[in-house]
Amino acid sequence: MTDLFSKFDPLIALREQLLSTGLTDPFNLVMERVESPTVAICNGRRTILLGTYNYMGMTFDPDVVAAGKQALDEFGAGTTGSRVLNGTYVGHRAVEQALKDFYAMDHAMVFSTGYQANLGVISTIAGKEDYIVLDIDSHASIYDGCALGNAQIVPFRHNDIEALEKRLKRIPEGAGKLVVLEGVYSMMGDIAPLREMVAVSKANGAMVLVDEAHSMGFIGEHGRGVAEAQGIIDDVDFIIGTFSKSVGTVGGFCVSNHPKFEILRLVCRPYVFTASLPPSVVATAATSIRKLMDSADKRSHLWENSKRLHAGLRQLGFTLGTDEPQSAIIAVIMPDLEKGAAMWEALLNEGLYVNLARPPATPANMTLLRCSLCALHTEEQVGEILGMFAAAGRATGCIS
Ligand SMILES: Cc1ncc(COP(=O)(O)O)c(C=O)c1O
């Protein structure tokens, strides 16, 4: 018998080697208590959270929590069914209406996760005969959506407008074309030149899907994302998003003005063949989305936090993923996995949690310490965070 697990041997060896040094496992941390969107207890210690996607700090919003509790009481713990059978409650319709209002779009379809939204929409609209042109640094859910639909995949160099245009021009005349982009790329925290890329895509007859998972709620005047900030949201055919980041719960969605959009509800397998979100989740999401419409102050405080942390880390001598802060994500580039893991542990011992990211999630084989800021981090907390980076950086030799 061939052991089907033998393909994982190199990863098992790498992990064992890393942990044999006595290092805390960076991928097995437990949040023993969560006190707020910015503080948790880990290993019995108060820990500032700088590695969550809770950009707008909605997880403990009193209105959001109350809406969830009420729905739990009134509708029970789960729907036990698909959206197309018994799994559409008034709350599912209400959250889709909240999304239509938030984005000012005609249609909204809610999935059980953002992963499934990409999987479902991409695989359903682009099939075997169609071409998907996508940024090489696209999220796994985008690649998996392409694979599920069996489309021809044409990747282009990250954020390279000319490369996108060249790939589009090479596709046979008359073929179906979908360009898939992200607003914010979550590993390095950089944004896409959507204005130019959407123009090139349209000029070459392609439909455009933009995943705004990491920009919703924060970027753009109304928090609609990078497409809004760059003034081209009306030219985008499909926006994908998630409830697991700024919205503060779990779930995914697609919004669109396409006149035939609603047919997706009957033909999209990751929408049809899975249970719908629990009533408490859609109630928290709807309340959160409506509050995010009116959160300009939080958005500007989050920008301040992002600028302060970026400038402070740079001053300390760390190498960052972007020259200027472009989003709520600031990536600190580590020389290698060993140093990255040591720095991650030193920060945890200081009382700071960040994400350790490594290949295949990261581009160009990089090890990153990904910091994601929250609108509820105070100025003092950002100061504390910089002090922890200074101490951990010196202790591990990452900075002098
Ligand atoms: C760009 C992007 N799209 C989609 C997703 C999936 O979101 P969810 O957590 O809702 O499955 C993620 C999650 O990290 C993401 O970064």
Side-chain angles (χ1 to χ4, degrees):
M1 183 187 76
T2 306
D3 182 2
L4 294 170
F5 276 60
S6 57
K7 56 174 110 24
F8 307 125
D9 287 347
L11 183 59
I12 291 169
L14 179 68
R15 187 177 143 78
E16 278 171 1
Q17 184 207 333
L18 205 63
L19 297 182
S20 67
T21 61
L23 185 90
T24 312
D25 185 349
F27 305 112
N28 207 9
L29 185 75
V30 176
M31 306 269 158
E32 287 141 18
R33 219 169 59 233
V34 181
E35 295 189 344
S36 74
T38 62
V39 175
I41 306 297
C42 303
N43 300 327
R45 186 184 204 299
R46 174 185 177 271
T47 304
I48 296 183
L49 300 174
L50 190 67
T52 77
Y53 296 130
N54 203 352
Y55 300 124
M56 296 296 280
M58 299 307 282
T59 50
F60 281 82
D61 180 277
D63 297 326
V64 168
V65 172
K69 283 182 179 164
Q70 191 182 339
L72 195 56
D73 285 343
E74 288 179 11
F75 292 94
T79 68
T80 73
S82 161
R83 283 297 305 274
V84 295
L85 296 174
N86 60 308
T88 295
Y89 289 13
V90 284
H92 297 83
R93 283 281 157 76
V95 75
E96 286 174 344
Q97 189 57 51
L99 284 166
K100 287 192 263 181
D101 294 343
F102 184 89
Y103 283 99
M105 291 220 182
D106 295 340
H107 305 282
M109 187 167 158
V110 166
F111 292 75
S112 298
T113 62
Y115 178 89
Q116 281 163 282
N118 269 330
L119 199 66
V121 174
I122 295 172
S123 66
T124 309
I125 62 178
K128 218 171 168 184
E129 313 297 317
D130 303 315
Y131 288 79
I132 298 178
V133 186
L134 80 172
D135 189 295
I136 197 148
D137 288 351
S138 293
H139 189 259
S141 56
I142 293 173
Y143 277 104
D144 292 357
C146 297
L148 186 67
N150 241 325
Q152 310 292 319
I153 304 177
V154 186
F156 65 90
R157 205 168 74 158
H158 178 57
N159 272 353
D160 186 332
I161 303 159
E162 264 177 47
L164 165 63
E165 188 168 27
K166 260 193 211 152
R167 302 289 182 283
L168 279 166
K169 289 202 185 303
R170 264 191 232 146
I171 295 173
E173 193 83 21
K177 286 170 258 181
L178 176 69
V179 170
V180 180
L181 306 167
E182 294 180 33
V184 171
Y185 285 87
S186 68
M187 287 298 134
M188 302 297 268
D190 56 331
I191 61 168
L194 288 185
R195 167 176 280 281
E196 294 80 0
M197 288 187 153
V198 170
V200 160
S201 306
K202 293 281 147 171
N204 287 278
M207 286 189 151
V208 180
L209 178 150
V210 179
D211 181 332
E212 296 271 19
H214 293 273
S215 51
M216 182 193 184
F218 173 38
I219 296 181
E221 187 189 349
H222 301 95
R224 291 174 190 154
V226 177
E228 181 190 30
Q230 296 186 9
I232 45 88
I233 195 162
D234 291 338
D235 299 327
V236 173
D237 297 282
F238 308 97
I239 291 180
I240 294 284
T242 173
F243 297 160
S244 73
K245 308 195 192 301
S246 286
V247 177
T249 176
V250 68
F253 64 86
C254 180
V255 291
S256 174
N257 284 326
H258 195 291
K260 297 180 188 165
F261 186 78
E262 293 296 324
I263 196 65
L264 287 182
R265 292 189 200 271
L266 297 182
V267 292
C268 180
R269 295 165 69 89
Y271 177 83
V272 174
F273 294 103
T274 195
S276 64
L277 287 167
S280 54
V281 169
V282 285
T284 54
T287 307
S288 179
I289 291 162
R290 293 210 176 274
K291 291 193 84 165
L292 288 176
M293 288 183 200
D294 192 25
S295 296
D297 288 353
K298 277 169 104 177
R299 285 193 260 284
S300 67
H301 181 70
L302 185 47
W303 272 124
E304 286 310 311
N305 281 347
S306 181
K307 286 178 197 158
R308 202 172 288 133
L309 185 67
H310 191 281
L313 287 172
R314 225 173 171 187
Q315 209 167 12
L316 285 172
F318 288 102
T319 309
L320 306 183
T322 56
D323 289 343
E324 299 293 330
Q326 297 184 17
S327 69
I329 301 166
I330 294 169
V332 183
I333 301 172
M334 291 284 109
D336 52 43
L337 179 60
E338 284 71 26
K339 264 274 194 279
M343 180 70 188
W344 177 86
E345 185 180 52
L347 285 171
L348 190 67
N349 291 338
E350 288 285 326
L352 182 66
Y353 174 76
V354 299
N355 290 151
L356 178 67
R358 58 174 295 272
T362 53
N365 243 2
M366 277 190 271
T367 298
L368 303 173
L369 293 180
R370 283 168 63 244
C371 307
S372 20
L373 287 145
C374 173
L376 299 189
H377 280 126
T378 61
E379 195 176 335
E380 293 71 42
Q381 280 178 321
V382 177
E384 236 184 300
I385 289 165
L386 286 170
M388 292 167 176
F389 261 98
R394 284 184 195 118
T396 54
C398 287
I399 54 169
S400 46

